[in-house]
């Protein structure tokens, strides 16, 4: 986690201005410093009510700080999970925000991890959506669920989601965890296979 001193040096702000929320909302700070500040805020175990309200305000479709909004969405998307309070504002941003921010908002929804977030992602994965919107939705669905085997087929995703519509929140989380666990195991096997092929190729060439 960044220290106040590191934020001071990276943002060009005075020490009194290095609270992460202040850095994130200061237009004269560098984008790197503002992104770091957003990441620090999201790593905190307990955001104060004021901090959470300020972050949600940044996500408003009519926000007067689109840079802070974009950077906050990037920071959210980098987290494995964020507080459910972010669900509604991000979904609202997908629906009513600047179309240019929509792909990033969809990627951030993967970190919300709810059934409703998945529903929005499935709806935006359809082929008639803009290519960057559809791709972001599929990428987010795979990251949320681990189900890379479904691929880009919106109707298969829709069926997958419908079959899980009646799950309780805890059951839904268990479903996501199972999928993510299988994906991690599959990637590990693929990496081992790739390493084995590389070693075999090296041996054929040089031994």
């Amino acid at each position: 986690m960044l220290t106040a001193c590191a934020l001071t040096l990276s943002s060009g702000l005075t020490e009194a201005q290095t609270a992460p929320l202040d850095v994130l909302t200061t237009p004269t700070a560098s984008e790197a410093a503002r992104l770091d500040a957003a990441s620090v805020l999201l790593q905190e175990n307990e955001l104060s009510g004021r901090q959470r309200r300020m972050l949600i305000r940044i996500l408003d479709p009519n926000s007067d700080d689109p840079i802070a909004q974009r950077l906050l969405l990037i920071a959210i998307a980098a987290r494995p999970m964020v507080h459910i309070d972010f669900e509604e504002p991000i979904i609202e941003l997908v629906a009513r925000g600047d179309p240019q921010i929509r792909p990033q908002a969809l990627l951030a929804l993967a970190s919300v991890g709810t059934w409703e977030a998945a529903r929005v992602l499935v709806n935006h994965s359809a082929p008639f959506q803009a290519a960057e919107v559809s791709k972001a939705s599929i990428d987010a669905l795979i990251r949320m669920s681990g189900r890379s085997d479904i691929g880009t087929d919106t109707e298969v995703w829709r069926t997958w989601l419908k079959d899980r519509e009646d799950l309780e929140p805890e059951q839904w989380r268990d479903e996501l965890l199972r999928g993510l666990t299988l994906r991690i195991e599959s990637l590990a096997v693929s990496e081992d296979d790739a390493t084995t092929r590389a070693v075999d190729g090296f041996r054929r060439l040089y031994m």
Side-chain angles (χ1 to χ4, degrees):
M1 182 180 294
L2 289 182
T3 64
C5 179
L7 280 172
T8 300
L9 293 173
S10 63
S11 66
L13 301 178
T14 66
E15 187 171 351
Q17 294 173 302
T18 54
L21 189 56
D22 291 334
V23 177
L24 175 60
T25 56
T26 299
T28 55
S30 70
E31 287 199 13
R34 298 176 80 181
L35 179 58
D36 285 341
S39 299
V40 167
L41 283 165
L42 293 170
Q43 289 169 11
E44 294 183 1
N45 291 330
E46 290 295 335
L47 285 173
S48 70
R50 173 181 174 273
Q51 288 174 321
R52 186 167 291 133
R53 287 193 300 272
M54 288 292 292
L55 293 180
I56 288 174
R57 191 176 304 162
I58 290 171
L59 296 173
D60 188 283
N62 299 314
S63 171
D64 59 1
D65 192 345
I67 294 176
Q69 185 178 87
R70 173 173 57 82
L71 296 174
L72 178 56
L73 289 170
I74 291 171
I76 290 172
R79 298 291 299 162
M81 187 67 68
V82 293
H83 197 279
I84 195 171
D85 282 358
F86 289 104
E87 178 191 66
E88 185 176 341
I90 296 177
I91 289 176
E92 183 71 5
L93 185 57
V94 168
R96 296 180 47 240
D98 186 328
Q100 291 187 339
I101 202 68
R102 191 167 295 142
Q104 193 60 62
L106 290 163
L107 290 170
L109 273 180
S111 297
V112 174
T114 60
W115 189 93
E116 182 63 18
R119 183 191 67 79
V120 173
L121 291 172
V122 169
N123 287 342
H124 283 80
S125 70
F128 61 77
Q129 298 281 353
E132 62 273 17
V133 167
S134 179
K135 182 181 186 306
S137 298
I138 294 295
D139 289 348
L141 282 166
I142 291 173
R143 188 166 72 83
M144 179 193 290
S145 68
R147 295 297 303 269
S148 57
D149 56 302
I150 296 179
T152 61
D153 192 323
T154 297
E155 292 311 310
V156 177
W157 279 113
R158 203 178 301 281
T159 299
W160 172 84
L161 187 62
K162 179 68 175 176
D163 290 345
R164 290 153 180 80
E165 185 175 10
D166 296 326
L167 294 181
E168 295 295 328
E170 185 174 345
Q171 295 174 313
W172 168 255
R173 287 191 295 271
D174 288 344
E175 174 72 18
L176 298 184
L177 182 59
R178 280 193 295 272
L180 290 168
T181 300
L182 289 172
R183 177 159 170 73
I184 290 169
E185 291 173 351
S186 175
L187 289 172
V189 169
S190 297
E191 184 176 343
D192 287 345
D193 288 346
T195 300
T196 299
R197 288 195 297 271
V199 171
D200 287 345
F202 180 87
R203 285 173 174 165
R204 284 195 296 271
L205 282 172
Y206 300 107
M207 297 180 68

